[in-house]
């Protein structure tokens, strides 16, 4: 009796996926070393740059998670029949993730230089940056699940949908900045990232990932209409908008139950209370995942 159910094709698929992962991570390491102007080993081991470690860890997670998702979605027979399509799909997914990451850095948080702050060992910056990178990974995978783009028309819909969702994240970030300024006598949230308040970074990352999970739930519950741009964008905005509202409403209730009579804004913004920030991180991520479980088709 055989207890090993792995076929030769499965082993080949695992080997190919792992090779792609290794090549991509090696490339990321080279890029990180160029930005740091020294070996990554020196930055992490000798200078104890925790921020750089968090940032690089999130990049590794995104690469492996994306390949694992594709390994689960694409059959080996389909990959063998049309290997070029698989290569293009991998490139497109990583392009979407990187584009979203750059939009976050250069547009949404344009007054805060995350790369420079990470090199200065700012853990808050690393949490903000890593949270948005993971969020963009979730969005890209959600769009793939929603569209399963087969032709140019659907790919165009995916592009427009992606930038629509980036607008939603920008609006969410502006609302967070407005609430922060209102609670802190007009202080700028982006300026406070430079003050290395780690708890603010943890909270920001949690809300970013939670919103991305809520968006994934919205995409999973929305019906995709092949080749219909306006209908699909309207459906996306409606479903993801509802999930956005549900995320904050349900999170508010859970925080009120779990943290009664605690001013979370005061604890996080002024006391750098990492424990409270971690609870907020967990609540938003868990509620986001709950929405996926409840509304995914």
């Amino acid at each position: 009796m055989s207890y090993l159910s792995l076929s030769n094709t499965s082993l080949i698929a695992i080997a190919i996926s792992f090779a792609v992962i290794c090549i991509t991570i090696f490339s990321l390491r080279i890029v990180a070393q160029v930005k740091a102007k020294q070996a990554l080993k020196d930055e992490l081991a000798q200078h104890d740059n925790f921020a750089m470690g968090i940032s690089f860890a999130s990049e590794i997670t995104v690469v492996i998670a994306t390949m694992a998702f594709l390994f689960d979605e694409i059959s080996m027979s389909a990959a063998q029949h049309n290997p070029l399509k698989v290569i293009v799909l991998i490139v497109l997914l990583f392009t979407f993730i990187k584009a979203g990451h750059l939009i976050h850095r250069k547009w949404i948080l344009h007054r805060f230089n995350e790369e420079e702050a990470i090199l200065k060992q700012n853990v808050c910056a690393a949490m903000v940056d890593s949270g948005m990178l993971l969020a963009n990974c979730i969005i890209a995978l959600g769009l793939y699940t929603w569209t399963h783009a087969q032709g140019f028309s659907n790919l165009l819909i995916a592009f427009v949908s992606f930038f629509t969702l980036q607008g939603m994240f920008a609006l969410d970030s502006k609302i967070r900045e407005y609430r922060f300024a209102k609670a802190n006598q007009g202080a700028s949230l982006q300026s406070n990232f430079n003050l290395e308040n780690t708890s603010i970074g943890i909270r920001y990352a949690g809300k970013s990932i939670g919103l991305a999970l809520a968006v994934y739930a919205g995409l999973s519950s929305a019906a995709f209409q092949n080749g219909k741009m306006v209908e699909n964008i309207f459906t996306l905005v409606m479903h993801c908008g509802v999930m956005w509202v549900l995320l904050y409403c349900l999170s508010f209730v859970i925080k009120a139950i779990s943290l009664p009579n605690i001013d979370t804004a005061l604890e996080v913004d002024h006391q750098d209370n990492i424990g409270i920030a971690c609870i907020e991180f967990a609540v938003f991520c868990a509620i986001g995942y709950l929405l996926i479980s409840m509304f995914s088709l």
Side-chain angles (χ1 to χ4, degrees), residues 19 32 68 77 141 169 174 178 223 231 255 257:
S77 59
L141 299 182
F169 268 84
K174 294 305 177 186
Y178 170 77
E231 290 86 344
K255 287 194 297 179
I257 295 172

Side-chain angles (χ1 to χ4, degrees), residues 110-127:
H110 61 91
R111 297 193 301 274
F112 176 56
N113 191 329
E114 293 169 334
E115 289 183 281
E116 182 180 330
I118 289 172
L119 291 176
K120 293 180 179 178
Q121 303 188 17
N122 187 330
V123 175
C124 175
M127 293 301 302

Side-chain angles (χ1 to χ4, degrees), residues 3 93 107 120 133 136 140 152 158 191 236 260-261 267 283:
Y3 294 95
L93 281 174
W107 179 46
K120 293 180 179 178
L133 178 62
N136 276 289
F152 176 76
S191 297
L236 176 144
N261 302 319
E267 292 295 328
V283 168

Side-chain angles (χ1 to χ4, degrees), residues 217 286-297:
I287 293 298
Y289 183 73
L290 175 65
L291 293 175
I292 292 176
S293 300
M294 292 174 62
F295 293 100
S296 294
L297 296 177

Side-chain angles (χ1 to χ4, degrees), residues 127-194:
M127 293 301 302
V128 171
D129 193 56
S130 298
M132 205 62 195
L133 178 62
L134 292 169
N136 276 289
C137 175
I138 295 168
I139 292 173
L141 299 182
L143 282 173
Y144 171 76
T145 303
W146 183 52
T147 61
H148 280 87
Q150 301 294 324
F152 176 76
S153 60
N154 287 349
L155 184 58
L156 181 60
I157 292 171
F159 272 104
V160 175
S161 300
F162 175 76
F163 286 105
T164 301
L165 292 174
Q166 292 301 320
M168 179 181 291
F169 268 84
L171 180 59
D172 180 76
S173 182
K174 294 305 177 186
I175 292 173
R176 283 189 252 171
E177 289 187 49
Y178 170 77
R179 293 182 63 188
F180 183 89
K182 186 177 180 180
N184 295 278
Q185 300 178 338
S188 168
L189 177 60
Q190 294 190 38
S191 297
N192 269 262
F193 289 151
N194 281 313

Side-chain angles (χ1 to χ4, degrees), residues 255-275:
K255 287 194 297 179
I257 295 172
S258 58
L259 299 171
N261 302 319
I262 295 178
D263 187 343
T264 56
L266 176 65
E267 292 295 328
V268 173
D269 298 344
H270 297 285
Q271 304 297 330
D272 195 12
N273 191 324
I274 293 177

